[in-house]
Amino acid sequence: MESGVVAAEAVEGIEVRNPASGETITTIAVDSPEQVAAKVARVRAVQPDWEAMGIEGRYHWLGKLRDWILDNQDQVLDTMQRETGKVRADASNEPTYLADIINFYGAHAPDFIGEEGFRPHSPLLAAKKLRVQYRPHPVVGIISPWNFPLILSLGDAVPALIAGAAVVVKPSEFTPLGLAEVVAAWKHELGAPDVFDVVQGIGETGGALVDNVDFVQFTGSDRTGRKVMARAAETLTPVSLELGGKDPMIVLADADLDRAANAAAWGGMFNSGQVCISVERIYVEEPAYDQFVAKLATAVGQLRQGVDDASDPKDVGAMTSPNQIGVVEDHVDDALAGGARALTGGKRVPGPGDYFEPTVLVDVDHTMKVMRDETFGPVVGVMKVRDEAEALRLANDSRYGLSASVFGERDHAERVARRVECGAVNVNDVLVNYFASDVPMGGWKESGIGYRHGAPGIRKFCRSESLVITRFGGKREPTWYPYTRGRRGLVARLAQLFNARDWRRRLGLRR
Ligand code: NAD
């Protein structure tokens, strides 16, 4: 049984493969719904003590996890490479990102979720002290995909844990091993509080997690995202959905075309194009088109693909999910059948291992799947456009709105970037917004609901609790019982006095 073809919901074990070689690594046990409920109940019981530790106390433990990840980078990277088929350089982003996100939220959590005080806006509330404290959803469930097994699970677990929640993660059935190793280290090597666990399985396990937790953080396809949201609606459980993308790149005629072409090659082929914010479609202003396309085809044509090791480094690795390679093949075949040309690449590489050639398509249009649907593979489609208006119209002509990039003279490119309809735009760079954790990252349209990173990336794991505290007052407020003749019209008179914005009305001289 291939992990990619596990179809039955009630599976006993999942076989995990190395997509770079096609070899089986191991078989893992699946958690039943009852086991999921038991794990959630166990961490729920410890969560109040975790919350009571405060941000500093919790950061202490996350700091230990950061140190473990840095000290055990080789082991972490080996596992990442084995279960995903990534090349080492791509895999190395995972521990780097995690160490950074732990430090980021450790340092900024007090600003983002520390208690806030407010000055009452109305004189009627002058005797009140107003505070807001951010209390965690007790148990956060994280359901994650296979393309970045640690970044897209631990990357959300970190702010949730720092916020004071307990966390249970269900990793993708294709890549369950790396996260399990980190959780085992948290529990056994670090001896950290029992507020972090993992459950293994596919849809049934994910559904059981949704049923049992207080907040769901889902990253994956929009198809599964809809199912998760519908299931969460049954228990009125809030969700944050980080879904797919079809990110456009706009190349203006005044761009540095070498930088733009190198960026398109890396942004489209990094991690074999299996990145939600990959460059998938490119719109180039007519005067720059021929030169840009020639440079891009050369850059992509030179990429080395295959099993990566120190003695024979490669640029582009395998496709992690065998299902996804079928989608990529379908998009490319559909484009070629519709009149597109592959300047380089264009087909699946014969096994062993699951590889698709790095591919540049031209003569594409918006009737083709490759320009409309998420390809999620090492493929870019390039279109010539008359001007910036046409580039923007086509870039925005998508059901997705995750992120984008614009290349051109800086001020010009920035002006164009402000008109792209998506959650983040990189100017003269690609993918880098994911590492700018200072600012929110999330999708518009069908690319998602909610944000990770920045203040929203930790506040979403909290509920705000407003405290309205009476600083002084007598035996009763003037608006309470009994409604004497004087009190009867008091509220209306005060409303007039404080809400009117001219003296005549304030004094009740005009009705
Ligand atoms: P997927 O939707 O197939 O699976 C995601 C997770 O959901 C897996 O863990 C899977 O086991 C689980 N799942 C499947 N059925 C479920 C159900 N009925 N209930 C609960 N959970 C269920 O996605 P994938 O193929 O693993 O990942 C690729 C997708 O993820 C792409 O669309 C990509 O764009 C998207 N993605 C988005 C972001 C982002 O930040 N927006 C980041 C990375 C990947």
Side-chain angles (χ1 to χ4, degrees):
M1 172 176 75
E2 274 186 346
S3 57
V5 293
V6 170
E9 285 292 286
V11 285
E12 305 227 311
I14 294 175
E15 205 170 275
V16 186
R17 284 169 72 245
N18 179 340
S21 64
E23 288 160 2
T24 298
I25 305 172
T26 185
T27 300
I28 58 155
V30 166
D31 284 286
S32 67
E34 295 72 31
Q35 286 168 316
V36 174
K39 283 191 180 178
V40 171
R42 208 195 66 237
V43 297
R44 187 185 288 286
V46 184
Q47 183 273 333
D49 290 342
W50 178 247
E51 183 182 350
M53 265 184 206
I55 292 172
E56 211 176 308
R58 296 190 293 266
Y59 181 33
H60 163 81
W61 285 106
L62 270 303
K64 283 178 179 284
L65 183 66
R66 174 205 53 223
D67 295 346
W68 183 90
I69 290 170
L70 293 174
D71 293 348
N72 293 277
Q73 261 202 73
D74 283 342
Q75 175 193 329
V76 172
L77 292 179
D78 287 347
T79 306
M80 277 303 96
Q81 279 199 278
R82 261 208 322 277
E83 66 179 350
T84 63
K86 288 173 195 272
V87 295
R88 192 78 165 186
D90 289 353
S92 66
N93 284 283
E94 303 236 10
T96 307
Y97 172 88
L98 294 173
D100 182 65
I101 204 78
I102 289 173
N103 290 337
F104 174 74
Y105 277 116
H108 293 285
D111 302 331
F112 296 152
I113 57 166
E115 187 164 316
E116 291 177 314
F118 294 84
R119 191 192 294 267
H121 76 287
S122 161
L124 291 171
L125 294 166
K128 308 296 178 197
K129 180 170 123 180
L130 303 182
R131 313 288 292 176
V132 170
Q133 65 167 345
Y134 293 94
R135 303 274 313 276
H137 289 285
V139 185
V140 169
I142 296 177
I143 300 176
S144 57
W146 41 260
N147 56 329
F148 291 94
L150 296 183
I151 288 179
L152 296 171
S153 54
L154 272 175
D156 289 310
V158 165
L161 287 165
I162 292 184
V167 172
V168 178
V169 184
K170 194 207 82 61
S172 167
E173 59 274 25
F174 295 106
T175 54
L177 305 178
L179 183 75
E181 276 178 14
V182 176
V183 172
W186 171 271
K187 288 181 176 180
H188 308 303
E189 287 188 49
L190 302 178
D194 189 18
V195 288
F196 185 26
D197 214 337
V198 60
V199 291
Q200 302 286 7
I202 50 174
E204 188 186 39
T205 309
L209 189 61
V210 173
D211 291 345
N212 283 280
V213 297
D214 308 300
F215 184 92
V216 178
Q217 169 65 51
F218 173 83
T219 305
S221 62
D222 57 291
R223 194 171 50 85
T224 314
R226 282 169 221 272
K227 289 187 200 166
V228 165
M229 192 167 173
R231 180 113 177 204
E234 289 172 24
T235 47
L236 286 180
T237 302
V239 297
S240 177
L241 306 176
E242 297 284 349
L243 308 177
K246 187 75 200 167
D247 284 6
M249 173 194 253
I250 294 176
V251 182
L252 301 167
D254 53 17
D256 174 336
L257 296 184
D258 286 311
R259 182 171 175 85
N262 288 331
W266 186 69
M269 308 300 150
F270 170 69
N271 208 43
S272 286
Q274 304 164 114
V275 188
C276 53
I277 54 174
S278 270
V279 174
E280 294 223 351
R281 46 196 182 109
I282 306 177
Y283 305 98
V284 190
E285 278 192 310
E286 203 165 356
Y289 179 82
D290 288 342
Q291 237 190 316
F292 172 83
V293 163
K295 288 176 189 291
L296 176 62
T298 305
V300 173
Q302 287 170 349
L303 296 175
R304 297 155 303 169
Q305 186 176 41
V307 181
D308 172 55
D309 62 49
S311 61
D312 184 17
K314 296 290 193 300
D315 303 303
V316 180
M319 298 290 300
T320 301
S321 149
N323 301 341
Q324 197 62 39
I325 202 165
V327 173
V328 176
E329 198 164 36
D330 176 48
H331 284 197
V332 172
D333 289 351
D334 171 72
L336 296 175
R341 284 180 300 131
L343 296 186
T344 183
K347 56 184 188 311
R348 188 194 281 251
V349 180
D354 298 325
Y355 295 90
F356 198 92
E357 292 175 348
T359 300
V360 176
L361 296 173
V362 292
D363 300 341
V364 289
D365 62 47
H366 274 213
T367 64
M368 298 172 182
K369 293 179 188 176
V370 81
M371 297 303 274
R372 268 199 337 260
D373 300 330
E374 186 181 41
T375 306
F376 218 58
V379 178
V380 291
V382 193
M383 270 178 84
K384 187 193 293 182
V385 293
R386 261 191 321 279
D387 52 23
E388 120 191 0
E390 188 180 19
L392 273 166
R393 182 179 63 73
L394 289 167
N396 291 336
D397 174 27
S398 174
R399 69 188 178 95
Y400 291 113
L402 195 52
S403 64
S405 54
V406 180
F407 282 74
E409 182 278 320
R410 202 179 70 189
D411 292 341
H412 183 195
E414 187 181 328
R415 278 199 306 279
V416 173
R418 288 173 186 278
R419 296 169 62 198
V420 182
E421 290 166 5
C422 65
V425 190
N426 296 298
V427 173
N428 290 326
D429 207 338
V430 286
L431 311 187
V432 70
N433 66 294
Y434 205 91
F435 297 92
S437 39
D438 318 76
V439 290
M441 185 270 170
W444 291 14
K445 306 189 217 173
E446 293 179 35
S447 285
I449 295 175
Y451 296 88
R452 52 166 60 104
H453 296 162
I458 187 164
R459 274 205 185 155
K460 69 180 168 185
F461 297 120
C462 299
R463 302 157 298 174
S464 68
E465 180 177 350
S466 299
L467 298 159
V468 180
I469 300 153
T470 303
R471 292 189 296 174
F472 48 84
K475 300 279 181 208
R476 63 164 64 89
E477 293 289 325
T479 50
W480 293 358
Y481 295 139
Y483 290 151
T484 59
R485 195 181 296 182
R487 287 178 175 169
R488 194 168 159 266
L490 184 63
V491 171
R493 285 199 304 279
L494 290 174
Q496 179 95 11
L497 183 63
F498 293 125
N499 292 327
R501 288 294 172 265
D502 62 274
W503 280 109
R504 284 178 61 80
R505 283 189 176 78
R506 261 191 195 149
L507 299 174
L509 297 177
R510 195 175 141 196
R511 294 222 162 250

